[in-house]
Amino acid sequence: MGFAQTQTGALLATYHYVVHGNVDAPGKGTRALLEYALLDGPLKDETLQHVEAVENGAKVRTPDADLASIQFMGYRIVAFDDESAVIELRAGVPDQAAGSLSVKLVWKDGDWRIDPASGSDWVSSCTDLDRC
């Protein structure tokens, strides 16, 4: 991918991996992206198994129309140094609900990669956006 070893590079890597690595609606390049982005570990294995299950019809694919209504609402750089970063992305459906995802990155082989210690669940979902 080639993201810069900066806060902005870590943020862009996170956004790219989350948007283009959607495991519930995998596209043509999703598997290759996730194989690159995720460092070896249980998260990578679990994620690739999930993608395979969706591709094979064993799990329900999220319709593209459902994804089209989701908007990026913001981000927070929780932690950053030259070797690691924690980026929190916030997204949701306007006037309905929002959630955040915290992604741990490590700098490896000249790029930001997702640390196996990262979680895979959106958290802090709420329906009162004024209080989120």
Side-chain angles (χ1 to χ4, degrees):
M1 302 292 125
F3 294 100
Q5 194 174 7
T6 62
Q7 288 184 1
T8 302
L11 171 62
L12 292 173
T14 302
Y15 181 80
H16 181 78
Y17 295 152
V18 169
V19 170
H20 298 289
N22 188 321
V23 298
D24 292 319
K28 186 176 176 182
T30 302
R31 176 176 289 283
L33 173 69
L34 293 171
E35 286 176 352
Y36 175 84
L38 293 161
L39 293 177
D40 290 339
L43 177 63
K44 182 174 187 173
D45 296 340
E46 173 188 315
T47 301
L48 293 176
Q49 287 171 1
H50 184 94
V51 168
E52 185 175 331
V54 172
E55 290 173 337
N56 294 335
K59 289 195 177 211
V60 177
R61 178 184 177 83
T62 301
D64 292 340
D66 290 354
L67 298 173
S69 61
I70 298 172
Q71 294 182 8
F72 176 66
M73 299 173 137
Y75 69 92
R76 183 168 66 107
I77 298 172
V78 178
F80 178 84
D81 62 40
D82 287 343
E83 299 301 318
S84 65
V86 178
I87 308 295
E88 184 178 289
L89 294 181
R90 185 144 187 81
V93 178
D95 300 321
Q96 291 184 27
S100 63
L101 176 68
S102 187
V103 179
K104 296 174 187 167
L105 301 171
V106 295
W107 185 258
K108 182 169 170 109
D109 299 328
D111 211 349
W112 291 110
R113 308 291 178 93
I114 299 173
D115 187 322
S118 277
S120 60
D121 295 325
W122 285 90
V123 295
S124 303
S125 294
C126 62
T127 55
D128 183 356
L129 298 183
D130 293 331
R131 299 181 71 202
C132 296

